[in-house]
Amino acid sequence: MVQHVIVVGAGPGGLTAAINLAGQGFRVTVVEKDAVPGGRMKGLTLGRDGEYAVDTGPSILQLPGILKQIFWRAGKQLEDYVTLVPVDPNTRVHFWDGTHLDTRRDLERMGQDLEKFGAGKGRALQEWMEDGRRKYALAYEKFICTNAGSLDYYAPWRLAPTLRFKPWQTLYRQLDSFFHDDRMTYALAYPSKYLGLHPTTCSSVFSVIPFIELCFGVWHVQGGFRELSRGMMKCAQDLGVTFRMGTAVERVRTEAGRAVGVKLASGEVLDADAVVVNADLAYAAQKLLAPELREGSRLSDGALERAKYSCSTFMAYYGLDTTYADLPHHLIYLSESARRTDKDALEDRTVDVEDPPFYVCNPGVTDGTGAPKGHSTLYVLVPTPNTARPVDWAKTEATLRERIPKMLEKVGIKGLREHVKAERYFTAETWRDDFNVFRGAVFNLSHTWMQLGPLRPRVKNAQVEGLYFVGGGTHPGSGLLTIMESANIAADYLTREAGKGPLKGWPYVPPMEDAGEQAPLRMARSG
Ligand SMILES: Cc1cc2nc3c(=O)[nH]c(=O)nc-3n(C[C@H](O)[C@H](O)[C@H](O)COP(=O)(O)OP(=O)(O)OC[C@H]3O[C@@H](n4cnc5c(N)ncnc54)[C@H](O)[C@@H]3O)c2cc1C
């Protein structure tokens, strides 16, 4: 009987698992190598006295009802731990031709803006949204909040209703069939990069992601996403979870084909009835699981080598003695190279330091907590290859450090260099070495057809009883939303295994009637 569960890693996946499991009456111990929670979402401080605080990874929360539901299920209120703030516009996307578009939840306003790209584009948006409304609940239920634990996932009776999605169509084709303009198509298809794909290689089923962003909005966490990490840890502690921080796990221990605990890097041994691994899946498989436990599976060394991984990111974090209050919170620049479809571009083989696409987070416009008054922070994300490619990372860092201030002028950020008071940079090697991310591929396994659903490494490990994976590397995928769902899936397996029945209130598809809500969100209802 499962009573005590060890969770390896206090990233978003591990924290969600801990809240879920403690809320259902399990004894939970989280073992985290870092001193602070959050993993890629832990944030960092800059400046001599740490006067600037920046997020390191996630900056956009989609579908906040899912997070709210996780707290509710454990008998807690999200609002007691964090405050969510809607961001408007969602994102300002600058294009290769010098034009730009603000995507936003106010569809009427966005539709009016779209008319400047050509008559009828506002109407095209309405039609695309209508198409999305017809698909959303079905897509969420069939592809995201399901455990994909067997090939039944592909059963015709299950998937037949989804044929209307034309899943064989690419995201590019799907969007282009409505907008007939690459600017709109690429603006809405931008999440494909974070799925390890390109709009022309990504299935149209992922149109549910831009739909969710336009329908439910994009959300910021007051105090930054690092505050979400801390809030989730506090909630877990209030539920009785024990945290062993600054404690690296060296091995998952097994006996007679069952996970029985972990061995720490210090040599200490911890016992448990089940182990939930949140550390990056490909890293954890290779470093924490003995090879004989993975032979012949998707987690064998050979399979992990052959798998396809996402790009990595070059990150620039700045503390500034100025603010960019007239610019939006989220800015994207899509250079001409965002439209490249040659193999080098599609497979993220080379670094583009000439005119790369990039993303900028300008949180000070929503939330002044990360910097002293009159100051602000920025983070800049430039997609790069992961460490499987032969890149001179020191040279790449030196070049991008020097060029980013000039590049930022393309999104209206002028004179950055003279305002920088503190700065820090990450390359793919930082993600690999400091965050234990396999190849520094920060968005994990790509979401190709061969790495989706039951073909993606599963939440419940088939080789070792009582071993579960949560986080971006497993089903359903690599964003915060899907990471939280992986932890819901793990908790559903464990509550059943412990004889407690299915996980309370799951599966849960946030209803579209909640889409118009601004903070504070009302109590999410159980499914
Ligand atoms: C730059 C960037 C921007 C992103 N932006 C967004 C966004 O806006 N919205 C979104 O939805 N998603 C975003 N993502 C994707 C995703 O949400 C994050 O990467 C997320 O933090 C991943 O969570 P995780 O739980 O899978 O893994 P992690 O955050 O990596 O957590 C794993 C944890 O395991 C710990 N660990 C590792 N090895 C060990 C060990 N041996 N022993 C003990 N502990 C260990 C790590 O320290 C870490 O705390 C972004 C990612 C990046 C990198």
Side-chain angles (χ1 to χ4, degrees), residues 7-16 30-42 55-62 190 194 213 219 225 229 244-251 263-265 277-281 283-284 287-288 312-315 317 330 359 379-381 426 431 434-437 440-444 470-474 477-484 486:
V7 178
V8 181
L15 292 167
T16 308
V30 178
V31 187
E32 164 58 51
K33 75 172 180 63
D34 287 340
V36 294
R40 281 164 257 192
M41 192 172 77
K42 69 182 171 186
D55 283 327
T56 37
S59 58
I60 289 176
L61 178 71
Q62 299 154 336
Y190 91 91
Y194 308 116
E213 291 198 346
W219 296 73
F225 280 68
S229 305
R244 298 276 308 261
M245 304 303 287
T247 306
V249 169
E250 189 179 276
R251 263 284 189 258
K263 180 174 176 221
L264 306 181
V277 175
N278 170 226
D280 180 74
L281 185 134
Y283 152 85
K287 302 286 183 197
L288 307 185
S312 188
T313 57
F314 177 81
M315 307 295 299
Y317 303 102
H330 301 295
Y359 160 75
Y379 102 37
V380 183
L381 179 165
F426 286 2
W431 292 116
D434 297 357
F435 290 77
N436 284 355
V437 175
V442 285
F443 307 114
N444 305 87
V470 296
T474 184
S478 64
L480 275 184
L481 179 62
T482 43
I483 287 168
M484 290 189 275
S486 71

